[in-house]
Amino acid sequence: MTTATAQAHPNIALVKYWGKRDEDLVLPLAGSLSMTLDALPTTTSVTLDPSAREDAFELNGEPASGERLRRVARFLDLARERAGGEPPRAIVRSRNEAPTGAGLASSASGFAALALAASAAYGLPRDARSLSRLARRGSGSAARSVVGGFAVWHAGDDETSYAEAIDGPDLRMVIVTVDGSGKAVSSREAMRRTALTSPFHDAWALSAAQSLDAMIAAFRDADVTRIGRIAESNALRMHAVIQSADPPIRYLGPASVAVFDAVRRLRGEGLDAYATADAGPNVVAICRPEDAADLARALAPLGGVRVAAPGPGATLTAGAAA
Ligand code: 2P0
């Protein structure tokens, strides 16, 4: 049986993706910019099984069912549609080093690895643009994990909405895990609710597009301070619009807020660090490489800390077909 295995890493956005222009095609309201990490990879294998009548999905050794399985099967349907003919069903085995569903972007690394492994198994193109476009359909943020280092995901349309690399200054991210449990509301559902009910939604969409332009300019100037400022303000605006949904959703808890406060205090003491957080309670602090050890030491009392550097894009680790 044909098996292909790929690895991809999570990414943390410095300008967030929050909201879709088209749910089916997973087209974002605005572009976003992220760093792919060198930590917490997902490794995924796709084995084509000509005798199987359904796809199967195993996550961290456990068979998946329900919506989790359907999401993978729908994604494989897309890959098979692109392959043409009547390609076989598949067994997908995936292993995450990050806690699944805790706001550490396991769906980004997951669908980036799956896009590459499925493309290899079904003989689809494996250039970065094709992979990023395909990964996007699994989970928007996965479009960015296809790319190593820093990535800009263009809003665009189905053809042009993909991520590509952008040069930037070397950065470190100190991941502060304050809570490893799953999130109460999925990003997908929370984005939908925000768009439908927040009175601030249009302002958020406009602000996100402006933040991306400002961030790209800060990257061009390799200006870490500006990058950090824009990232922190963009993250807080995203959490503000999420909290303004009805019924409200709040991902940041007291322990998360304590990390934001600690980062601000450290900044007052001369350490140039900034904070961001995704759709979960964990916080990521951003700094220059030379400050990472001090920052990690200062934040250690507030949660589990781990320093990440820019990491590789999705790579095939075994078994490319044809
Ligand atoms: C991001 N997040 O830019 C933002 C910040 C969470 C907060 O991308 O619905 O799991 O699968 O496209 O990719 C999480 O969204 O959502 C996300 P879907 P996804 O990293």
Side-chain angles (χ1 to χ4, degrees):
M1 283 195 281
T2 302
T3 297
T5 305
Q7 188 172 71
H9 293 74
N11 69 75
I12 300 290
L14 295 166
V15 174
K16 306 296 189 189
Y17 148 54
W18 193 260
K20 296 178 180 68
R21 200 155 50 75
D22 186 316
E23 274 221 29
D24 189 40
L25 294 173
V26 195
L27 297 174
L29 272 182
S32 55
L33 187 152
S34 61
M35 182 175 111
T36 299
L37 309 182
D38 66 347
L40 308 169
T42 300
T43 306
T44 298
S45 69
V46 172
T47 300
L48 303 189
D49 181 355
S51 67
R53 297 173 52 166
E54 304 286 344
D55 295 309
F57 175 38
E58 222 176 68
L59 181 61
N60 297 327
E62 300 283 332
S65 58
E67 181 52 27
R68 206 168 245 170
L69 171 61
R70 276 196 295 278
R71 205 164 153 186
V72 167
R74 273 198 304 269
F75 185 83
L76 292 171
D77 283 341
L78 265 181
R80 283 187 287 259
E81 197 183 296
R82 288 178 192 199
E86 286 194 20
R89 307 273 154 183
I91 304 161
V92 175
R93 292 186 184 88
S94 193
R95 205 158 270 286
N96 271 331
E97 275 185 37
T100 299
L104 283 176
S106 53
S107 72
S109 53
F111 279 102
L114 181 58
L116 178 50
S119 294
Y122 286 116
L124 300 177
R126 300 205 298 269
D127 59 285
R129 178 177 169 163
S130 303
L131 286 174
S132 179
R133 284 184 58 228
L134 179 62
R136 187 193 85 220
R137 298 291 293 274
S139 202
S141 52
R144 300 186 310 235
S145 272
V146 165
V147 176
F150 299 102
V152 178
W153 172 22
H154 306 292
D157 56 21
D158 185 28
E159 287 293 321
T160 57
S161 185
Y162 60 92
E164 58 187 348
I166 177 173
D167 285 338
D170 196 10
L171 294 179
R172 292 295 177 270
M173 290 188 169
V174 179
I175 303 162
V176 187
T177 306
V178 299
D179 181 351
S181 60
K183 54 181 117 167
V185 185
S186 72
S187 302
R188 193 155 281 197
E189 164 57 24
M191 281 184 200
R192 205 175 282 146
R193 195 186 301 172
T194 308
L196 289 174
T197 65
S198 169
F200 308 144
H201 190 254
D202 290 348
W204 157 253
L206 182 65
S207 151
Q210 288 168 344
S211 297
L212 181 63
D213 290 344
M215 186 63 92
I216 289 172
F219 264 72
R220 240 177 244 134
D221 295 343
D223 185 335
V224 175
T225 299
R226 248 162 72 216
I227 289 171
R229 278 195 192 136
I230 298 164
E232 189 171 300
S233 118
N234 174 260
L236 290 172
R237 285 176 186 179
M238 180 190 75
H239 285 280
V241 78
I242 293 170
Q243 291 185 47
S244 71
D246 181 20
I249 300 164
R250 186 164 53 80
Y251 287 118
L252 302 179
S256 326
V257 173
V259 180
F260 272 84
D261 285 351
V263 168
R264 191 180 47 194
R265 198 169 53 243
L266 290 165
R267 211 152 58 216
E269 293 165 7
L271 207 168
D272 204 22
Y274 300 86
T276 185
D278 287 335
N282 300 317
V283 178
V284 174
I286 305 150
C287 66
R288 292 179 181 80
E290 58 271 29
D291 292 329
D294 285 345
L295 183 60
R297 207 173 306 117
L299 297 177
L302 301 176
V305 294
R306 159 165 214 151
V307 178
T315 50
L316 205 55
T317 56

